[in-house]
Amino acid sequence: MAASFYEPLADDEIRLIRFSPGNALVANLEKKVLHDTPPYIALSYTWGRAPYRNGRPLSANYSFILNDRTFDVQENLHDALSYLVPHVKENDCHLWVDAICINQDDPVERSKQILHMKYIYEHATMVFGWLGVPFDEEETSLAIGLMRKFNIVLHDGLAKHNNDMSIVATKISPTSKDIYPEPDTDCYKGWIGIREIFKRTYWTRIWIYQEGTGTAPIRFYCGNSYFDRIALSASVYMAHHFAEFTDIDFPFRDVARGPVFGFQAFRKDGVVKYGDTLLDVLEFLRPTKSSEPRDKIYAPLGFASDLSPSSIGPDYSKPLEEVYKDVVRFSLSQPDYGLDVLGHVTHLSSELKEIVKNYHDSGFFCSWVPDFREFVGPAPFITKVADGTWAYHACGPHITHDARIEEGSRLVLQGFQVDEITELSSVWVGNSFSTAKVESWAPDTPDAIYTPTGQTLDEAFLITVLADTDVLTKSRGHKVDFGLINTRADEMSPDQSTRRNRMNATMNNTSGVRHSGWTKHGRMGLMSPAARIGDMLYVLCGGQMIYILRNKKAEAFEYVGYAYVHGIMDGELFAGESLMLGEKETVVLE
């Protein structure tokens, strides 16, 4: 769209669309002061082609009349306008749509307007979330009716049982044909419809977390049918309940998993549970997608409590790597964060890159820059325990860093070489995580002594598997109990079930997509998936963890990842004179 189509906006102005009476898509674009707007509806949708195209040719073009001119729009947006504009008119509202109300050809305007988007969605009369045209009208109608029925069942149950959801869950019977998917019933068709709704690409978008988790009411439209966030919440809960506690048909076992669960979890608990720092928010939203990779940073900015207006600002003219480097610069500038940002750097081995679909090879990035386009690889170890203090102290008394970025591509640090990787197990990848895989890492002589701590090898291994943590309670001092993990669910008490769930969640976080490894000095640990035999292990000043570096050239290293190495995570290397600790040196990463 030609830039001349738009009149410049003042810093406190936005544009709204006002549709003309009648059935045609004819509208005018109006400038309004942000804090003095008429009632408007904000649209939340997916850019690009429609999720259900119904045989339409790829060459089809779409447009509508705006300010007496033809305005081109993408297919999915045109579908949204065709279905939703009548509902906008019914409410006598204006409409806000990013692709229309922001001049997408002007990076300066985009950078300024993005700062208003959280306010725009929070102060809308309503948000319309567009999921697309239905695959099957009947299934969609039955699905939304079933979602509302789920809400009634849960609401009535809570009223009867004093708002105790744990009791309500035990009263939900799989024999109820109104809510349980028996084949050849309308309920079964409704479940199929819910599964299709939850598979929509809409739920993968990073922007929906800002657009759909605010205070404004929201309707999720699939064609002309819609449901609200209460029905969504009830449906996610019921789908999860039936998958966990009944013999529901296999096609429905994953209905509540995936992106829609992440969206619902964040809407329900948000930063209270998952953390409110920039790094916390970026990591939680890492599995989401965006057509503009800079938005993996810019979309979550409104959720981060540690940002000041001058910390990181949207700038769509800035090269992508520089946008991601801004996160590194910000994190290094925070006195309590140490080198935590290095835990968000994901590198895979060449073998894993071939297995993982749609992997972005960020080889053009510096090795120490996180590529937030990626959501494959290991989750970061916890960096703070429940009281807000560091989880680990591998750096001992060297808790501050003098890190600096030189020449745009070199991260200069101080540290000590402590060990070298000599043995690595295979890495788990995909959806095949199992206790058997992790148990195969166990030492062959479990009763032998693990010299660094004086424990048996078995004891050290059971602690290492969980990196000595519980990720749900954010605490140290834990080890895995494989006997409990392998116990049948119907043979466990509620407390045992809770404990097993915590261990499984922690093991997925700590051991998933990592090597089990051994070092030259007889230490066991959990290593980055990109680690190789011969890589060096360093303690870096200001860093909680052990860091894996690879010789790149005489004056610089390649950053590989970080590691949990049992027995040296709490400053033990600095407790006395260590014959295995090298001299403090300048470490340059490229």
Side-chain angles (χ1 to χ4, degrees), residues 406-419:
E406 292 183 350
E407 302 173 8
S409 62
R410 296 159 62 91
L411 179 61
V412 182
L413 305 154
Q414 300 293 314
F416 304 83
Q417 181 181 332
V418 299
D419 216 328

Side-chain angles (χ1 to χ4, degrees), residues 238-370:
M238 293 292 273
H240 181 267
H241 170 80
F242 280 128
E244 291 292 319
F245 301 106
T246 74
D247 59 350
I248 192 170
D249 278 6
F250 181 78
F252 304 124
R253 289 193 173 274
D254 64 348
V255 167
R257 299 189 177 102
V260 72
F261 178 80
F263 174 78
Q264 174 59 20
F266 192 84
R267 191 201 68 77
K268 178 176 178 290
D269 297 314
V271 296
V272 174
K273 180 175 181 179
Y274 300 106
D276 62 354
T277 70
L278 178 62
L279 290 179
D280 289 333
V281 176
L282 291 179
E283 191 60 36
F284 182 85
L285 297 180
R286 201 160 186 166
T288 60
K289 297 179 181 179
S290 173
S291 58
E292 165 56 77
R294 294 169 185 81
D295 285 341
K296 294 300 291 283
I297 307 302
Y298 296 154
L301 291 180
F303 295 116
S305 66
D306 51 350
L307 288 176
S308 65
S310 60
S311 299
I312 296 178
D315 183 353
Y316 286 96
S317 65
K318 185 176 288 189
L320 178 61
E321 184 178 11
E322 290 304 311
V323 174
Y324 290 178
K325 281 181 183 176
D326 283 344
V327 176
V328 180
R329 293 185 182 97
F330 169 75
S331 184
L332 293 177
S333 73
Q334 304 302 297
D336 297 332
Y337 292 5
L339 302 181
D340 290 353
V341 69
L342 292 180
H344 298 263
V345 177
T346 298
H347 295 304
L348 299 182
S349 65
S350 57
E351 292 80 7
L352 291 180
K353 289 179 184 179
E354 293 179 2
I355 296 173
V356 176
K357 296 180 180 179
N358 302 319
Y359 179 76
H360 289 106
D361 192 340
S362 56
F364 65 92
F365 281 8
C366 299
S367 67
W368 47 270
V369 177

Side-chain angles (χ1 to χ4, degrees), residues 529-581:
R532 300 175 189 166
I533 293 173
D535 285 343
M536 308 307 298
L537 299 181
Y538 270 74
V539 166
L540 297 177
C541 297
Q544 297 189 40
M545 308 301 296
I546 301 298
Y547 299 88
I548 307 171
L549 309 183
R550 183 174 300 149
N551 285 320
K552 186 175 182 180
K553 54 186 180 182
E555 298 179 353
F557 291 97
E558 175 185 349
Y559 178 70
V560 177
Y562 66 177
Y564 171 90
V565 180
H566 189 59
I568 58 172
M569 298 305 298
D570 295 301
E572 293 91 342
L573 290 171
F574 301 93
E577 291 188 11
S578 175
L579 299 178
M580 294 176 285
L581 188 65

Side-chain angles (χ1 to χ4, degrees), residues 486-493 496:
N486 293 323
T487 301
R488 286 169 51 96
D490 57 2
E491 296 176 353
M492 288 188 294
S493 68
Q496 288 176 318

